[in-house]
Amino acid sequence: MNGKRMRALKAAFPYTIPIFAGFWFLGLAYGIYMNISGFSFVYPMIMSMVIFGGSLEFVAVTMLLAPFAPLQTFIMTLMIQARHLFYGISMLEKYKGTGWKKPWLMFGMCDETFSINYTAEIPENVDKGWFYFFTTLLDYLYWVTGATIGGRPSN
């Protein structure tokens, strides 16, 4: 990893430590919930990677176990995740000029990542795009690993 990226990672990591504690606890709980609901560890792993929306993932367990109701599922998903539209709009200016990182930054935005990336005082010698990238990546990895470990069989 080059110096520019390493500086950004070192600057971003301390901001994400409290997120690590919360995401691992909730991710583990989500994985355990999926496991005791009868799902293989693959489900919380893939759902956490693809959906990356904690509250929606908890509700999705019930939706997966309920009779097929696509319209209700769509409406519920919109209602739970709609706040991300406003997060995304408010971050457009900050994420300008981030190039190939921008789609990842938009996908990986959660409440906690938005909070850090919107308010962090990034040192002048740190590339903002890489700082945003690593904040988003670390938060994402915390959630996915927590959910995957929590979903593994206990025996």
Side-chain angles (χ1 to χ4, degrees), residues 1-125:
M1 187 178 305
N2 71 20
K4 180 168 129 176
R5 284 180 258 179
M6 185 56 78
R7 276 193 308 277
L9 176 59
K10 286 180 180 178
F13 178 69
Y15 282 96
T16 68
I17 292 171
I19 310 305
F20 169 73
F23 273 17
W24 253 53
F25 177 76
L26 288 172
L28 287 167
Y30 165 66
I32 292 167
Y33 179 49
M34 286 289 288
N35 183 272
I36 64 171
S37 295
F39 294 95
S40 159
F41 85 96
V42 173
Y43 281 83
M45 179 179 68
I46 292 174
M47 287 175 61
S48 64
M49 292 170 72
V50 175
I51 298 172
F52 189 52
S55 49
L56 178 59
E57 290 174 52
F58 277 96
V59 172
V61 177
T62 305
M63 289 190 276
L64 287 170
L65 294 171
F68 185 62
L71 181 60
Q72 290 86 342
T73 300
F74 177 74
I75 291 169
M76 181 66 73
T77 301
L78 276 179
M79 289 172 52
I80 293 172
Q81 297 298 98
R83 69 188 182 281
H84 292 278
L85 294 171
F86 301 103
Y87 289 165
I89 291 168
S90 64
M91 293 302 284
L92 286 174
E93 189 62 36
K94 284 191 177 273
Y95 289 168
K96 192 176 280 186
T98 56
W100 63 266
K101 295 185 262 334
K102 191 173 187 175
W104 164 253
L105 296 172
M106 295 309 237
F107 165 77
M109 192 178 318
C110 60
D111 302 353
E112 296 78 6
T113 302
F114 168 79
S115 177
I116 293 171
N117 285 346
Y118 194 80
T119 62
E121 293 183 24
I122 304 167
E124 287 189 30
N125 68 334

